[in-house]
Amino acid sequence: MRIGTIGFSMAAGLVLAGCAALPSTGPTSMEVTEQANAGTDVRFVLRNVDDHVVSVLASTRPPTFHGSFGDSRPAPGQRIGIGDTVQVTVWEAAAGGLFSSPAIDRNSTGARSAVIPPQIVAKDGSITVPYAGRIRVAGLTTPEVEERIVTGLTGKAIEPQVLVTVPLGLSNSVTILGEVTNGARVPLSVRGERILDVIASAGGIRAPAHETFVTLQRRGRTAAVPMQRLVLNAAENIYAHPDDVITVVRDPQTYSVFGAAGRNAVVPFDAAGMTLEQAVAKAGGLLDWRSDPTGVFLLRYESASVARMLDHEFKIVPPDAKVPVIYKLNMRDAKSFFLAQNIHIRNRDMIYVANAPVTEFQKIIGVLLTAAQPVATGASIASGF
């Protein structure tokens, strides 16, 4: 018995001296807090989730189409640009004029008219009209071009009347590419097309909606929104403008779960707008026999401005730097469940659930019993002799 007691004491001393070497899925809740408060050189920001944290995160939502570009309808009169195809038809009031046809056929517009072959607007912004010369059309509407051509033909043709059409207007089109059925330049009508109208004109998207993002480039500015937000929020489906570039990208969104959760894995998003409470539930929740409900952590990188709003004493970093931030959630507090509903999970977020302190104690007891078992067995054999 004395030998067993000595052996047990030795094993206990060895285990207690090396508690840090016990198997674990990660730090305890206390260890995370101690690491955040250790020294003056803070490596990350640690904040308990409360109303202030939720309000800060709500004020730093990702960019939206409506917020970035507004929703102004394009100008009702489309203007001709360089590279557009322009067609001119000229009528005269009497026969025998410059544009009179010798006979009427099924392709003519009448005996006193002529159709000038379609022309592409040159780099100087002009087209050629017989007897009127070079007519500048770039930046003008079709009625304005008609008026200029009539002015150029006055005194040469017999009371000329002109109709100008644009069969192919590249300057009044939108470029769409990426994960759509048919990438193309989509012409815009005077009615006005919205972003979803342009996507539909390209044959729709090829990837699942919850994995698809739509990027809009306009006049040097760029914003990207999830396809599901574009579909569900009418305010995001803004009007397309000439020269917009719409890119549809497939980007599967995931987050990682570690520690005392029901499932440790990389979890894909089922839909855009997943919240923290949904993410924890999707990962199987907290393990009842092992987890520390006061130590549920959300880890992500935030901008320097957000880090300073969360912690006014945080050290100064470059404005474009990314700061590691840990949000701590106490699931023993019923209010935390409601707060978690207002925190949206982002792509590549990490959720860590710490072990309960009693779990570490159980590990120590288990190691002690395992270490003492051979000693006790030897003592029993010795006593038998």
Side-chain angles (χ1 to χ4, degrees):
M1 181 63 69
R2 185 178 179 184
I3 296 175
T5 302
I6 294 174
F8 188 85
S9 300
M10 292 175 62
L14 291 172
V15 171
L16 293 175
C19 285
L22 286 174
S24 178
T25 56
T28 63
S29 179
M30 182 179 297
E31 289 172 339
V32 174
T33 303
E34 290 174 349
Q35 291 170 15
N37 297 328
T40 56
D41 185 16
V42 180
R43 291 174 293 173
F44 55 84
V45 174
L46 175 64
R47 279 302 309 266
N48 293 320
V49 174
D50 53 20
D51 292 324
H52 173 67
V53 169
V54 171
S55 65
V56 168
L57 294 178
S59 66
T60 56
R61 293 287 176 85
T64 63
F65 284 166
H66 189 275
S68 300
F69 306 106
D71 192 22
S72 58
R73 183 188 291 269
Q78 294 184 343
R79 297 187 177 275
I80 298 172
I82 295 173
D84 288 352
T85 300
V86 177
Q87 181 171 291
V88 179
T89 304
V90 182
W91 284 268
E92 293 184 280
L98 296 174
F99 299 96
S100 298
S101 300
I104 299 177
D105 60 37
R106 62 181 181 178
N107 295 320
S108 72
T109 56
R112 296 187 295 274
S113 68
V115 177
I116 300 173
Q119 302 177 63
I120 296 177
V121 179
K123 289 186 177 181
D124 65 354
S126 303
I127 61 172
T128 299
V129 177
Y131 305 106
R134 297 289 289 175
I135 303 294
R136 182 167 182 81
V137 299
L140 304 178
T141 62
T142 53
E144 291 171 340
V145 175
E146 291 168 357
E147 184 177 349
R148 285 196 174 190
I149 296 175
V150 167
T151 301
L153 293 175
T154 299
K156 302 173 184 178
I158 304 173
E159 298 181 17
Q161 296 187 21
V162 177
L163 174 65
V164 175
T165 58
V166 185
L168 182 61
L170 297 180
S171 62
N172 289 288
S173 62
V174 174
T175 301
I176 180 167
L177 44 87
E179 291 295 324
V180 291
T181 303
N182 298 301
R185 290 183 68 101
V186 178
L188 300 176
S189 67
V190 294
R191 179 184 65 89
E193 280 73 32
R194 296 183 178 271
I195 301 298
L196 288 179
D197 297 329
V198 176
I199 294 175
S201 299
I205 62 176
R206 296 185 297 184
H210 68 274
E211 295 182 356
T212 302
F213 285 74
V214 181
T215 300
L216 174 61
Q217 299 177 26
R218 176 183 297 174
R219 293 189 294 273
R221 301 184 63 184
T222 302
V225 303
M227 182 67 182
Q228 284 192 327
R229 186 191 302 169
L230 192 62
V231 173
L232 298 176
N233 187 354
E236 288 298 278
N237 188 26
I238 63 175
Y239 282 102
H241 283 209
D243 296 326
D244 280 355
V245 177
I246 300 172
T247 307
V248 180
V249 179
R250 182 176 186 177
D251 184 13
Q253 306 287 288
T254 61
Y255 65 95
S256 303
V257 183
F258 307 96
R263 180 163 65 117
N264 283 206
V266 176
V267 184
F269 283 47
D270 286 336
M274 180 178 292
T275 61
L276 178 55
E277 53 90 16
Q278 291 173 328
V280 172
K282 186 175 174 61
L286 277 59
L287 294 177
D288 182 58
W289 54 272
R290 176 182 156 193
S291 63
D292 178 5
T294 67
V296 178
F297 300 95
L298 171 65
L299 299 86
R300 66 163 60 136
Y301 282 96
E302 298 282 11
S303 65
S305 60
V306 172
R308 280 192 288 270
M309 284 190 287
L310 293 171
D311 184 357
H312 297 295
E313 298 181 358
F314 188 72
K315 63 180 182 179
I316 303 298
V317 296
D320 58 344
K322 293 296 183 181
V323 180
V325 177
I326 301 179
Y327 300 96
K328 182 180 179 182
L329 196 67
N330 180 6
M331 301 300 285
R332 287 194 183 277
D333 184 357
K335 184 179 179 180
S336 295
F337 289 87
F338 296 100
L339 294 175
Q341 287 185 320
N342 294 291
I343 298 178
H344 290 269
I345 295 295
R346 301 175 191 166
N347 189 31
R348 293 176 176 80
D349 274 355
M350 294 178 287
I351 297 175
Y352 171 67
V353 182
N355 283 336
V358 69
T359 304
E360 304 304 316
F361 179 74
Q362 290 172 345
K363 290 178 184 178
I364 294 174
I365 296 300
V367 172
L368 290 175
L369 293 176
T370 302
Q373 185 64 38
V375 178
T377 303
S380 299
I381 294 174
S383 63
F385 291 100

